[in-house]
Amino acid sequence: QVQLVESGGGLVQAGGSLRLSCTARGSIFSIDAMGWYRQAPGKQRDLVAFITSGGKTNYADSVKGRFTNSRDNAKNTLFLQMNSLKPEDTAVYYCNTNPPYYRYWGQGTQVTVAS
């Protein structure tokens, strides 16, 4: 049974930074493209970044240049370094495969950026 557990969220002032982590318990991590998704209140869940098993990254325009996605396959961990945070980055952040698999959705981690 694969389980993805996100951590690292919190409350930060605009312009600040946070580093999110996603630990995968199971065997999918090293062979799948992994993504970070976010969902703000009243909005749909969107992909903000993904990284392939080979390390190639891709970002949504809204976070490009501010967020950095990385992975440690040996530790089954995915990271999202978020810099220059803006209030519009406030959301619950989730990790999942890309494309996402419904059974892998975890609880997410809340990121709140105060203006």
Side-chain angles (χ1 to χ4, degrees), residues 16-112:
S17 299
L18 284 172
R19 190 190 194 205
L20 306 184
S21 298
C22 168
T23 300
R25 300 170 185 171
S27 62
I28 57 100
F29 202 76
S30 63
I31 62 173
D32 284 292
M34 296 296 297
W36 284 99
Y37 302 78
R38 69 184 182 188
Q39 186 169 22
K43 296 187 176 180
Q44 66 180 19
R45 191 171 300 181
D46 292 325
L47 177 68
V48 295
F50 73 86
I51 183 167
T52 69
S53 56
K56 291 185 179 179
T57 57
N58 190 278
Y59 301 92
D61 288 343
S62 59
V63 306
K64 198 172 294 183
R66 300 188 298 120
F67 290 11
T68 303
N69 199 2
S70 60
R71 64 193 289 170
D72 185 336
N73 288 337
K75 296 182 179 180
N76 279 350
T77 304
L78 182 70
F79 302 100
L80 186 67
Q81 178 66 44
M82 306 187 297
N83 299 328
S84 302
L85 283 161
K86 303 176 180 180
E88 51 264 43
D89 295 319
T90 294
V92 179
Y93 285 72
Y94 304 85
C95 63
N96 204 320
T97 55
N98 182 35
Y101 182 47
Y102 74 98
R103 289 185 176 178
Y104 292 167
W105 290 117
Q107 295 299 310
T109 186
Q110 175 71 48
V111 172
T112 303

